[in-house]
Amino acid sequence: MEYNTIDKSSYKIHTLKYDRFKTSDIEVVFRFKTDKERFPIVSLLCEVMGTCNKHYNSLRNLALKKEDLYNGIKIVERATSVRALQPVLLNILIETTGSNSLRLVATDLDLTVMAEVDAQVEEEGKITLPSKTLNEIVSKLGNKLITFEKAQDSSIVNITCQNSKFDIIGISANEFPPEVYNIEVNEEDSFEIEVKPLTKAVRQAGFAAASYETSNLLSGIVCDISGQTLEIASTDGNRLARVREVIKNPDDKARQLITVSYTHL
């Protein structure tokens, strides 16, 4: 948590910035009595918001194919929270990662999913947009280039595709928890696995997992890879399901991990 004071001669602005969600609490303290005639509230709010946001990047102009964007949204949207304490966890983070790529990130703080898609980036930036609204809009657009535009000091993103135009109100990317996506993956700790046997095993054995509300731990599944065998198991304390599948494991390394609820897959 970070505390700051901004002195504006006739008043002071006290801010509290929280590390986890990058949320700021703002309190304005006047040195003497004032009213709307002497000190317009609109000017005050504009100055406060400008001070809080002037250092942050915003999404400006980019274009990408409808198919690429839609596939990326479908990949990450399952990770958005359904019991969000913070509204930003209902959103997808959209962030440029160069002149030719765009990163999509969603999280519920237990599971984080990222996807990168090709894009034509004119100016770098980032913002978060509501997952459900974004998915509904993109799914109905034609299979043409989609452009995103956002003003420097606005949270409204304009989405255009041919003759269709939409305005979506987003949330600053600085509200998105950075610890869930600013992670460097060590290639030595990563591995590849065939999608078909993995999804088949998860669907066959995952039904026995407990619901999240019943048990956070038992809502996951155990995945064990040993040699050329993949084993998936789950339980809610009353029933147990286990499935084995033959896979290709070139490096022949044994691994075991507990994943989040199978309903994310």
Side-chain angles (χ1 to χ4, degrees):
M1 185 173 69
E2 179 182 341
Y3 172 76
N4 288 308
T5 301
I6 304 170
D7 196 335
K8 295 293 183 180
S9 67
S10 60
Y11 64 94
K12 282 187 177 181
I13 302 175
H14 302 273
T15 66
L16 282 175
K17 183 178 179 182
Y18 300 94
D19 295 331
R20 182 161 190 177
F21 294 103
K22 301 301 180 186
T23 300
S24 297
D25 290 339
I26 302 173
E27 178 183 356
V28 181
V29 180
F30 292 94
R31 297 183 186 277
F32 49 82
K33 289 185 178 181
T34 187
D35 50 34
K36 291 184 179 180
E37 287 72 23
R38 293 184 58 187
F39 200 97
I41 191 65
V42 174
S43 299
L44 171 63
L45 292 177
C46 289
E47 190 168 7
V48 170
M49 295 306 296
T51 302
C52 294
N53 293 291
K54 63 183 180 181
H55 300 297
Y56 298 148
N57 293 328
S58 60
L59 186 68
R60 297 304 296 276
N61 302 316
L62 63 91
L64 68 167
K65 294 180 180 179
K66 179 264 180 84
E67 182 181 3
D68 293 340
L69 177 59
Y70 185 64
N71 290 338
I73 292 173
K74 297 300 290 184
I75 290 172
V76 305
E77 68 171 351
R78 287 179 174 269
T80 55
S81 177
V82 295
R83 295 169 296 275
L85 297 177
Q86 292 287 331
V88 74
L89 297 182
L90 297 170
N91 290 12
I92 294 176
L93 173 68
I94 302 176
E95 179 182 23
T96 58
T97 55
S99 60
N100 297 306
S101 63
L102 186 72
R103 180 166 63 171
L104 307 176
V105 186
T107 184
D108 61 2
L109 298 183
D110 287 325
L111 171 70
T112 300
V113 179
M114 306 181 194
E116 287 200 7
V117 297
D118 295 331
Q120 302 170 11
V121 180
E122 294 183 13
E123 198 165 342
E124 295 187 356
K126 56 185 177 179
I127 195 171
T128 73
L129 296 177
S131 172
K132 184 178 179 181
T133 304
L134 185 62
N135 183 34
E136 290 177 350
I137 289 176
V138 174
S139 65
K140 292 178 173 61
L141 295 177
N143 195 20
K144 301 292 182 178
L145 277 180
I146 299 175
T147 61
F148 285 70
E149 294 183 1
K150 178 185 178 300
Q152 181 69 33
D153 299 320
S154 173
S155 61
I156 299 177
V157 175
N158 174 260
I159 300 177
T160 306
C161 181
Q162 293 183 302
N163 296 326
S164 301
K165 182 177 179 180
F166 302 88
D167 290 330
I168 305 180
I169 299 176
I171 299 176
S172 171
N174 299 282
E175 296 285 332
F176 201 83
E179 65 270 17
V180 301
Y181 71 93
N182 289 336
I183 301 174
E184 294 185 3
V185 179
N186 188 345
E187 292 187 2
E188 295 180 357
D189 298 330
S190 63
F191 61 93
E192 296 182 359
I193 188 172
E194 298 172 88
V195 173
K196 188 174 180 180
L198 174 63
T199 54
K200 179 182 176 182
V202 169
R203 287 170 180 166
Q204 290 180 344
F207 74 91
S211 64
Y212 188 94
E213 292 79 6
T214 303
S215 172
N216 187 10
L217 178 60
L218 296 181
S219 66
I221 60 176
V222 175
C223 175
D224 181 73
I225 302 173
S226 181
Q228 307 300 314
T229 302
L230 165 68
E231 184 174 357
I232 298 287
S234 67
T235 182
D236 60 1
N238 296 314
R239 56 185 179 178
L240 173 67
R242 185 178 69 172
V243 174
R244 287 181 177 178
E245 288 287 336
V246 177
I247 61 169
K248 295 179 182 179
N249 186 13
D251 53 10
D252 198 28
K253 292 183 180 179
R255 304 177 181 87
Q256 187 176 48
L257 63 150
I258 298 177
T259 68
V260 295
S261 173
Y262 80 100
T263 56
H264 285 101
L265 301 176

